[in-house]
Structure formats: structure tokens, C-alpha cells
Amino acid sequence: MKMILTIIMCSIIDGKTTCIPPHTFANSYEDSYSCLIDGYKKSIEKIEEIGREKINEFNIYIKFGCNEIIVPPAKPKVKV
């Protein structure tokens, strides 16, 4: 089954959680395992890019999910 990776970055300030719109990557994965591994890698890369100071200042965290790509069945061709 094909999977897609979606990442959401959130911040908690004064007890209020705010998240930016989710980002779904264009590439797909062959299975949950490969999607999850890449999700953790991309999350770490983003945390390192933002840096310790901003992560701690704005209580930023990243969550992600791997979702199955559901392709509807093809419609039967009708002869005219």
C-alpha cells in the first residue's frame, strides 16, 4: 500500500496551542515503516533548522502522520 507523509508544526504559548497548516509531501512511500522513518528524520531536520533557542522560546513541537493513499477504482469504459 502507498503512504503519504503529513507534518504539522505547533507551538504552545500561555497554555494556548497554535498550529500552522499541515504540509503533505509530494512523494509517496511503499509502506508505513519507510514513511515513519522519513517522518522522524524530517522532524529532526526541522527542529535542528529552527534551533534550540526558538524551540524553547515558543515551545514548538512537530507531529506527523502517515496515511494510506486511497485510489478509487477505475470507472468502467462505456462503448458508444
Side-chain angles (χ1 to χ4, degrees), residues 10-24:
C10 300
S11 173
I12 301 174
I13 299 175
D14 297 328
K16 182 180 177 193
T17 301
T18 304
C19 300
I20 62 172
H23 174 74
T24 300

Side-chain angles (χ1 to χ4, degrees), residues 1 4 10 15 17 19-22 25 28-29 31 40 42 47 50 52 57 59 71 75-76 79-80:
M1 86 184 92
I4 56 170
C10 300
T17 301
C19 300
I20 62 172
F25 292 87
S28 63
Y29 302 88
D31 56 19
Y40 284 111
K42 288 184 184 319
I47 289 168
I50 295 167
R52 181 185 305 271
E57 179 181 353
N59 296 314
V71 180
K75 292 183 180 179
K79 291 184 180 181
V80 182

Side-chain angles (χ1 to χ4, degrees), residues 1-69:
M1 86 184 92
K2 295 277 189 177
M3 307 293 286
I4 56 170
L5 173 64
T6 301
I7 288 183
I8 303 171
M9 187 166 47
C10 300
S11 173
I12 301 174
I13 299 175
D14 297 328
K16 182 180 177 193
T17 301
T18 304
C19 300
I20 62 172
H23 174 74
T24 300
F25 292 87
N27 57 318
S28 63
Y29 302 88
E30 291 300 317
D31 56 19
S32 293
Y33 178 86
S34 56
C35 182
L36 287 168
I37 292 293
D38 204 36
Y40 284 111
K41 287 179 182 178
K42 288 184 184 319
S43 296
I44 289 169
E45 289 169 3
K46 182 52 80 175
I47 289 168
E48 291 174 340
E49 178 186 327
I50 295 167
R52 181 185 305 271
E53 185 178 316
K54 294 292 182 194
I55 293 289
N56 290 331
E57 179 181 353
F58 297 107
N59 296 314
I60 295 171
Y61 64 95
I62 295 175
K63 53 187 179 176
F64 68 89
C66 294
N67 299 298
E68 184 178 359
I69 299 172

